[in-house]
């Protein structure tokens, strides 16, 4: 929200100089594509990369649409093509690193049940490929645990994911130690005071644990989801199955993992082939 508000202020400041007049609803309604391209050119000159420029343009469009609706105008916005964003390849962690990380996060915990909670969350991210928000969105309705778990993902879409034995045991151990009751409507993973667990808390304990383990800053909770998909692909799982497990709406989102696996194969080749 702060970033979008800052973009609106930057745009108005730029237009005041660019148009040489007071920037009101009428002025915003007369903007053309060339005006927005001029704004982006200035921002590019300030060092904005493709990804940031695309976000900036998205914020500008949102602001102009809002201004139009406030003035009772139609939202016919100037058309400007967004810069192409490079498709970044996820960086998975190895299976051993994923397990070590899940065991290490409890070292700083103030209570045994909190250590068990953090380990259970990370094992769930790696063992079932969940997003952090999906794991923390689980409620007591998931209990008692079986061999699968119903997860609500983006756009409120539900999917079924497997629950491996070690993951199930870790969650059950946390549940056994947790001092708070667990009704069907209450969050499964609790904060220290009993409220819903905040995702930032998980990211914080992972940052501390990866420093102790000597892992790179790419080792994040979300990297465990990438690792889930990459390791499945490396063991022969097909893309359609991985797409379903990850809850991707489009197969193109899942295909990025083929690049990850190929990169791994090339590393093995270069390290092992006598003439590499």
């Amino acid at each position: 929200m702060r970033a979008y508000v800052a973009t609106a202020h930057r745009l108005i400041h730029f237009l005041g100089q660019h148009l040489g007049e007071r920037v009101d609803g009428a002025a915003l309604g007369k903007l053309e594509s060339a005006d927005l391209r001029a704004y982006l050119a200035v921002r590019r000159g300030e060092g904005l990369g493709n990804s940031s420029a695309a976000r900036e343009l998205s914020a500008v469009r949102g602001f102009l649409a809002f201004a139009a609706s406030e003035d009772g105008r139609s939202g016919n916005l100037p058309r400007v093509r967004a810069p192409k964003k490079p498709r970044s390849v996820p960086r998975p962690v190895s299976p051993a690193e994923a397990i070590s990380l899940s065991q290490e996060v409890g070292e700083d915990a103030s209570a045994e049940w909190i250590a068990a909670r953090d380990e259970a969350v990370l094992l769930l991210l790696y063992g079932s490929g969940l997003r952090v928000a999906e794991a923390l969105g689980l409620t007591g309705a998931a209990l008692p645990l079986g061999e699968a778990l119903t997860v609500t993902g983006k756009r409120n879409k539900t999917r079924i994911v497997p629950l491996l034995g070690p993951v199930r045991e870790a969650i059950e151990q946390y549940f056994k130690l947790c001092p708070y009751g667990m009704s069907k409507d209450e969050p499964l993973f609790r904060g220290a005071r009993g409220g819903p667990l905040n995702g930032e808390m998980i990211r914080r304990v992972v940052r501390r644990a990866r420093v102790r383990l000597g892992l790179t800053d790419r080792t994040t909770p979300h990297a465990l989801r990438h690792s889930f998909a990459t390791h499945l692909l490396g063991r022969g799982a097909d893309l359609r199955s991985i797409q379903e497990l990850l809850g991707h709406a489009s197969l193109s989102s899942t295909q990025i993992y083929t690049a990850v696996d190929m990169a791994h194969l090339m590393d093995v080749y270069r390290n092992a082939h006598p003439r590499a």
Side-chain angles (χ1 to χ4, degrees):
M1 288 174 62
R2 285 195 300 269
Y4 271 52
V5 169
T7 295
H9 284 296
R10 278 194 297 267
L11 176 68
I12 292 171
H13 178 72
F14 165 79
L15 290 175
Q17 298 176 325
H18 178 69
L19 301 175
E21 62 181 45
R22 181 173 176 270
V23 181
D24 54 13
L28 292 176
K30 293 186 293 186
L31 290 181
E32 299 179 355
S33 300
D35 298 317
L36 297 192
R37 282 196 292 269
Y39 171 71
L40 285 180
V42 170
R43 294 290 288 135
R44 288 286 210 166
E46 294 170 353
L48 223 60
N50 279 10
S51 296
S52 297
R55 189 211 60 78
E56 189 91 353
L57 182 58
S58 174
V60 166
R61 285 171 174 159
F63 171 64
L64 293 180
F66 166 76
S69 67
E70 288 291 293
D71 276 359
R73 294 182 280 107
S74 62
N76 293 328
L77 305 179
R79 293 192 175 185
V80 178
R81 182 176 296 178
K84 288 186 177 180
K85 295 186 287 185
R87 194 87 181 262
S88 60
V89 177
R91 298 294 181 91
V93 299
S94 71
E97 289 172 338
I99 300 303
S100 297
L101 190 66
S102 67
Q103 295 171 342
E104 184 68 24
V105 288
E107 288 299 308
D108 292 334
S110 57
E112 187 181 1
W113 75 270
I114 292 179
R117 177 202 68 190
D118 294 345
E119 180 175 359
V121 170
L122 292 198
L123 285 178
L124 188 56
L125 302 183
Y126 176 58
S128 299
L130 269 60
R131 301 175 178 93
V132 175
E134 291 171 345
L136 302 190
L138 294 172
T139 66
L143 302 172
L145 299 173
E147 295 184 353
L149 196 61
T150 300
V151 177
T152 302
K154 290 184 176 179
R155 295 176 290 277
N156 285 326
K157 289 180 62 177
T158 59
R159 67 184 190 278
I160 306 295
V161 297
L163 200 58
L164 303 178
V167 181
R168 187 167 58 249
E169 291 167 9
I171 297 175
E172 288 173 345
Q173 176 65 10
Y174 152 70
F175 178 57
K176 187 187 304 181
L177 296 173
C178 182
Y180 302 107
M182 202 73 67
S183 73
K184 291 186 178 297
D185 297 327
E186 291 178 312
L188 180 62
F189 294 109
R190 304 295 193 88
R193 296 181 180 178
L197 178 60
N198 190 302
E200 181 54 35
M201 182 59 66
I202 294 298
R203 286 183 277 273
R204 192 179 305 161
V205 296
V206 166
R207 284 196 293 269
R208 290 199 291 259
R210 76 186 178 211
V211 169
R212 292 194 296 269
L213 292 171
L215 303 178
T216 70
D217 58 4
R218 293 181 181 273
T219 307
T220 64
H222 198 64
L224 296 176
R225 173 175 157 89
H226 293 319
S227 304
F228 165 83
T230 306
H231 298 160
L232 279 179
L233 184 65
R235 291 298 183 93
D238 64 274
L239 278 178
R240 284 289 181 189
S241 298
I242 295 175
Q243 177 192 2
E244 186 174 340
L245 290 171
L246 291 175
H248 284 162
S250 169
L251 185 62
S252 61
S253 300
T254 315
Q255 285 173 331
I256 192 170
Y257 293 104
T258 60
V260 176
D261 199 50
M262 182 56 68
H264 171 68
L265 288 177
M266 290 305 296
D267 284 342
V268 172
Y269 169 78
R270 280 191 289 267
N271 290 331
H273 198 284
R275 297 182 181 273

